[in-house]
Amino acid sequence: MDIVKKIFHTAFLVCLLFILFFGMLSKENTLASMPVKVAVDGVIINPGEQPPFMNNDRVLVPLRVITDFLGAKTTWNGTTNTVRIELENKLVELRPNSNSVRINGVSRYVDVAPRLTNNNRIVVPLRFISELLGYQVGWDGKHLIASVFTKGQSSQERASIIMALADRSRLQQNNLMRINIGASDHQVEYIMGKPIRKEIGFMGLDTWTYHYNYHDYYLFGFYKGELMYIYTNSASEYVLGVGIGDTKDTVEKKVKTRDLAPLEYLNGDVLVYLANNHIRSNRIHTVTNNNVVIYHIDELNGNRVAGIEIYHRDMMVCDIPIIDYKYTYSGSKPQLGLPQPSSRVQAEINKSLERQIFDMTNVFRVKEGLAPVLWHSDAARVAHAHSKDMSDRNYFDHMSPEGKGPGSRVRDANIAFQSVLENIAMNTTNSAETLHAWMNSEGHREAILHDGITHLGVGVFSGRNIYYTQVFLQLNN
């Protein structure tokens, strides 16, 4: 009987240990599979091919993604299996699976070694970033957001940023995996929630704007309740396997960029052939599911994707082509595309473009860690007047035919200012194309990202051509 009891107790103990062991494995596997986000100074960054994950209650983050985002020079020596990170006055050298790390030539011990993942990416504990690079870090375990702070923020500032990131978690990752061109406005609202603003956008679309304090920016455009257009610069989104922050080379490897399939209309009776991408273009387009995707490349930031547009095919065949095209048809010449907006509707569209350009300017500023600018109504009137003057008198210049420049125009409007900057554009399709074009020009980019600028006015006017003007101000104290 005692032997039976011993066998029973032994078997019971083995079963209990078995349950506990696999319970712990299950918990660890669950944590490891949870979608962890990484934010630097309040900006959620694209993790690339190696998302962050949890292991043994440690948050492991992809090293190269963070060092690249911080502007560090990171190199790999395959002979010595050593990673070399150069950031400001600091040189860090490390090897996968080694607890010894060299900082400016001095060896230091770290309790958790960097490790190499199955896809050959080096991940390090979040605390590693703090200890070796000298930055503050934070962890929001409820929303699984790891934060890195590089600007010496106070504890109160760090707490505010973490709270703001938690509020943004309502905007789920990969929304565009669940929202397709052709979806209804009800479907989009169910997934995204109520938009910040609804207005008549370019080409007369009912346009909805989403962002959270200028993070995770989205535009959705509808025609008669059907989704026709999407724009985003959210680092959480991927389209055809390409996300914000991916390089131009990655885009060209993952999507077809030449000899694209034609867009089909009227059951195939009409075929529209889009022009091939130019090899030096900062805008790459492709065709998918009879619709068009455009990747905007930031040439001044490592040739990386900075924004993504998705168009319904009906938007490709308009009076001012978004992409050059030719088409073939059988029978009589077809009427394709969306109806042309009336002059009254176009005036409303111009106002919405002004608001979107203001929003997107702040989106780019916040992404670079700068404070958002404030709207300045008088500067907007100056900007609109200059756009109208360029249209009326058929010129395109910061200087009027009489020799008046931005400063003179602002002074004439009785605005007291310390400094003024101006951007102009002509015949770009919409707010997204306009902003990305400016961001690919050093002078225009400098104005948008100028640290001393506090206010902005935007003016858009369309006649035979469409003109855009931004007036940036640093006001007198």
Side-chain angles (χ1 to χ4, degrees):
M1 189 68 179
D2 288 339
I3 295 174
V4 173
K5 283 183 178 179
K6 275 187 178 180
I7 293 173
F8 175 79
H9 285 304
T10 303
F12 177 78
L13 183 60
V14 169
C15 287
L16 182 60
L17 290 172
F18 182 86
I19 291 167
L20 288 172
F21 176 71
F22 279 94
M24 288 189 291
L25 279 182
S26 175
K27 180 183 177 183
E28 183 174 319
N29 289 336
T30 300
L31 286 172
S33 65
M34 287 182 177
V36 177
K37 301 177 187 176
V38 174
V40 177
D41 296 321
V43 178
I44 294 177
I45 63 176
N46 181 1
E49 297 178 4
Q50 177 56 63
F53 60 95
M54 293 189 65
N55 184 264
N56 293 331
D57 293 328
R58 291 292 183 98
V59 182
L60 298 177
V61 296
L63 178 64
R64 182 64 182 262
V65 170
I66 293 178
T67 55
D68 280 358
F69 188 86
L70 295 174
K73 181 181 178 183
T74 307
T75 53
W76 167 258
N77 187 325
T79 304
T80 60
N81 289 335
T82 303
V83 178
R84 181 184 174 97
I85 304 166
E86 299 174 64
L87 181 62
E88 296 174 351
N89 60 347
K90 189 167 289 188
L91 171 61
V92 178
E93 297 170 288
L94 58 90
R95 285 191 290 180
N97 304 318
S98 171
N99 295 87
S100 178
V101 177
R102 292 174 65 85
I103 303 176
N104 291 338
V106 179
S107 294
R108 281 188 55 181
Y109 177 84
V110 291
D111 62 341
V112 178
R115 55 189 274 191
L116 203 61
T117 64
N118 291 334
N119 57 354
N120 290 322
R121 296 292 183 269
I122 293 178
V123 293
V124 296
L126 180 62
R127 205 171 102 190
F128 183 100
I129 304 296
S130 173
E131 291 178 346
L132 298 190
L133 300 183
Y135 296 132
Q136 297 284 348
V137 297
W139 170 242
D140 179 352
K142 181 178 179 181
H143 299 97
L144 300 180
I145 302 174
S147 289
V148 179
F149 303 98
T150 70
K151 299 180 179 179
Q153 293 96 331
S154 67
S155 58
Q156 186 175 356
E157 288 172 328
R158 295 197 302 271
S160 297
I161 291 172
I162 290 172
M163 286 176 64
L165 288 168
D167 287 341
R168 285 171 56 203
S169 65
R170 66 181 181 83
L171 289 177
Q172 299 182 31
Q173 287 189 329
N174 302 323
N175 289 302
L176 301 190
M177 294 291 289
R178 300 178 293 152
I179 299 174
N180 297 309
I181 292 295
S184 71
D185 50 5
H186 299 295
Q187 289 173 306
V188 173
E189 187 166 342
Y190 176 79
I191 293 170
M192 297 295 297
K194 294 284 185 184
I196 288 175
R197 191 171 64 245
K198 293 183 180 182
E199 59 197 346
I200 302 298
F202 86 109
M203 295 178 69
L205 298 180
D206 295 317
T207 303
W208 297 1
T209 299
Y210 292 85
H211 66 82
Y212 186 85
N213 291 342
Y214 300 114
H215 297 281
D216 293 326
Y217 185 82
Y218 294 85
L219 288 176
F220 295 94
F222 303 89
Y223 181 67
K224 296 183 177 179
E226 181 183 357
L227 184 59
M228 307 290 285
Y229 172 76
I230 301 171
Y231 170 81
T232 188
N233 78 334
S234 172
S236 67
E237 298 296 351
Y238 291 81
V239 178
L240 302 180
V242 175
I244 302 298
D246 283 341
T247 63
K248 183 178 181 180
D249 288 343
T250 300
V251 179
E252 291 171 340
K253 288 175 184 175
K254 289 193 173 183
V255 305
K256 189 171 184 179
T257 60
R258 301 188 66 80
D259 302 322
L260 302 172
L263 299 171
E264 297 185 11
Y265 301 78
L266 303 177
N267 297 319
D269 289 343
V270 179
L271 300 178
V272 172
Y273 296 86
L274 300 180
N276 282 324
N277 288 278
H278 191 279
I279 192 168
R280 293 185 178 177
S281 176
N282 53 31
R283 204 178 66 156
I284 298 177
H285 62 266
T286 191
V287 173
T288 178
N289 295 328
N290 215 23
N291 298 309
V292 177
V293 177
I294 296 177
Y295 301 96
H296 290 277
I297 308 298
D298 189 341
E299 296 178 320
L300 301 180
N301 184 28
N303 271 327
R304 295 181 180 278
V305 177
I308 302 174
E309 291 181 286
I310 311 176
Y311 286 88
H312 190 285
R313 64 183 179 276
D314 286 353
M315 300 185 69
M316 291 293 106
V317 284
C318 51
D319 289 346
I320 301 176
I322 295 166
I323 300 168
D324 289 337
Y325 67 90
K326 59 183 180 180
Y327 66 96
T328 63
Y329 59 91
S330 57
S332 58
K333 186 175 180 178
Q335 294 294 318
L336 301 175
L338 302 181
Q340 192 71 13
S342 66
S343 57
R344 181 189 63 79
V345 172
Q346 186 61 50
E348 291 185 51
I349 292 171
N350 292 346
K351 289 298 179 186
S352 77
L353 290 172
E354 292 169 0
R355 288 185 286 267
Q356 290 166 19
I357 287 171
F358 174 79
D359 284 346
M360 293 179 70
T361 298
N362 278 331
V363 166
F364 283 106
R365 287 178 64 84
V366 168
K367 201 158 194 174
E368 294 297 323
L370 298 170
V373 292
L374 302 174
W375 179 260
H376 197 286
S377 297
D378 290 338
R381 282 189 280 272
V382 171
H384 185 269
H386 186 54
S387 290
K388 185 177 186 301
D389 189 51
M390 288 191 290
S391 176
D392 291 345
R393 298 200 282 173
N394 195 28
Y395 72 97
F396 180 64
D397 203 308
H398 293 287
M399 304 298 292
S400 71
E402 294 79 24
K404 277 193 173 184
S408 297
R409 290 190 286 272
V410 171
R411 273 189 291 270
D412 288 348
N414 295 317
I415 302 172
F417 65 94
Q418 288 187 30
S419 60
V420 59
L421 297 169
E422 183 180 81
N423 283 342
I424 58 175
M426 174 182 169
N427 283 349
T428 45
T429 304
N430 55 26
S431 55
E433 185 183 351
T434 305
L435 259 295
H436 285 289
W438 280 333
M439 289 296 286
N440 272 310
S441 164
E442 288 186 1
H444 297 93
R445 185 189 189 99
E446 184 178 340
I448 290 169
L449 301 181
H450 195 287
D451 193 24
I453 292 301
T454 56
H455 291 74
L456 170 63
V458 184
V460 178
F461 186 85
S462 54
R464 286 173 297 178
N465 299 297
I466 185 165
Y467 294 84
Y468 306 80
T469 303
Q470 287 181 305
V471 173
F472 297 90
L473 298 174
Q474 182 178 6
L475 298 182
N476 289 332
N477 293 329

